Amino acid sequence: MARRRNRYARLMKELKTTGGSPTAGTELDFFLKFLTGENKLEILNKPDEGDLKRYGLAVHPFAIEAADATADSRYKVEITGYSFAGIDVAGLSNNDLGIFFIEGGEQLNQDFNPALIKPSFVAGGYTGNSDKTSAVTGKKYNYVPTRTFSIPFGRTTAAEDAGDGSATSNISASDELDVVRHLKTKIAASTNADKLKSISYEAEFFNEVSRAKDAAAANDIPNATVTLAS
């Protein structure tokens, strides 16, 4: 269920226009050195390795109307121990997020990517640092140490209707926008709201299904020529 996003799409596109030979000292020159491993990212503020261990939970997906509120209608998702601790930091509950512990009978679908709420808080003891140099672009930037959590969520009756504010009557009536607004409101009103830096959100999606042709019998698959060394 990992997501793959190209953070450097613009730089990649511009680097291609140079034929792989950018002018020395430019942003693209730094980027090429980053790609080839000459420049390396300095990982700051990294959680302990044990906190990054992943655990299984379950949600009712938005793209599939829940038949009922039982485990059989839920899909398995993953969360790190670090982000699970972040639920409390953000002032949320499992019910707010529509996440459940595994009971048995949940669906497992590797193509399912749950919606994610990603609150980011300024770390304790922050004094500011505007003299950091990016290993990717060579540019100076202001480093703000943060604690960012990536938390899956699904349908929940805890979220009010985003349109009229009415209570959600049942699990099937819970929409993604309802829950996003509910979560943002709860986080902004939490005890750590004064340390809140940002809240981002990634929509739920299912990866495109396989385009492989179904084979009902052996003759549905053409013979392939296989030559072995004599």
Side-chain angles (χ1 to χ4, degrees):
M1 291 180 288
R3 300 172 188 233
R4 294 291 181 265
R5 304 280 177 102
N6 187 354
R7 297 172 54 192
Y8 310 120
R10 177 187 66 84
L11 291 170
M12 286 293 293
K13 183 177 180 180
E14 294 179 5
L15 181 60
K16 288 179 181 178
T17 65
T18 70
S21 299
T23 302
T26 63
E27 179 183 56
L28 294 179
D29 182 43
F30 268 86
F31 182 55
L32 179 60
K33 290 177 179 176
F34 164 69
L35 292 177
T36 58
E38 186 174 342
N39 291 345
K40 298 185 183 298
L41 289 176
E42 179 185 5
I43 301 177
L44 303 169
N45 207 30
K46 185 178 181 180
D48 292 338
E49 185 175 347
D51 293 340
L52 298 179
K53 185 176 180 180
R54 306 186 76 81
Y55 300 89
L57 296 174
V59 301
H60 293 284
F62 296 104
I64 300 173
E65 185 172 343
D68 50 44
T70 63
D72 290 349
S73 294
R74 299 174 196 147
Y75 278 56
K76 290 185 177 182
V77 297
E78 294 180 351
I79 190 171
T80 63
Y82 179 76
S83 286
F84 187 74
I87 294 174
D88 184 60
V89 174
L92 301 174
S93 68
N94 287 13
N95 191 40
D96 288 321
L97 294 154
I99 57 175
F100 298 83
F101 294 111
I102 301 299
E103 298 176 10
E106 292 87 352
Q107 307 297 315
L108 177 61
N109 187 326
Q110 296 297 334
D111 294 326
F112 173 57
N113 294 266
L116 300 174
I117 194 76
K118 303 174 77 170
S120 184
F121 297 86
V122 176
Y126 168 62
T127 57
N129 187 339
S130 60
D131 197 33
K132 291 289 183 182
T133 300
S134 170
V136 179
T137 65
K139 294 181 177 180
K140 297 287 187 180
Y141 68 97
N142 181 38
Y143 171 65
V144 179
T146 57
R147 298 288 185 265
T148 301
F149 309 101
S150 186
I151 307 171
F153 66 91
R155 294 177 184 263
T156 173
T157 56
E160 304 80 5
D161 185 273
D164 59 18
S166 61
T168 301
S169 57
N170 57 68
I171 198 72
S172 294
S174 177
D175 296 326
E176 191 163 345
L177 180 59
D178 298 341
V179 185
V180 170
R181 291 189 178 181
H182 172 74
L183 295 176
K184 287 184 175 181
T185 298
K186 288 290 296 278
I187 295 170
S190 70
T191 56
N192 290 317
D194 60 326
K195 305 176 186 68
L196 183 64
K197 183 174 181 287
S198 65
I199 307 174
S200 61
Y201 145 69
E202 293 185 16
E204 170 189 294
F205 71 94
F206 281 82
N207 289 332
E208 191 170 313
V209 296
S210 171
R211 294 184 181 276
K213 180 181 179 181
D214 290 341
N219 57 12
D220 288 335
I221 305 175
N223 289 331
T225 301
V226 179
T227 303
L228 302 181
S230 57

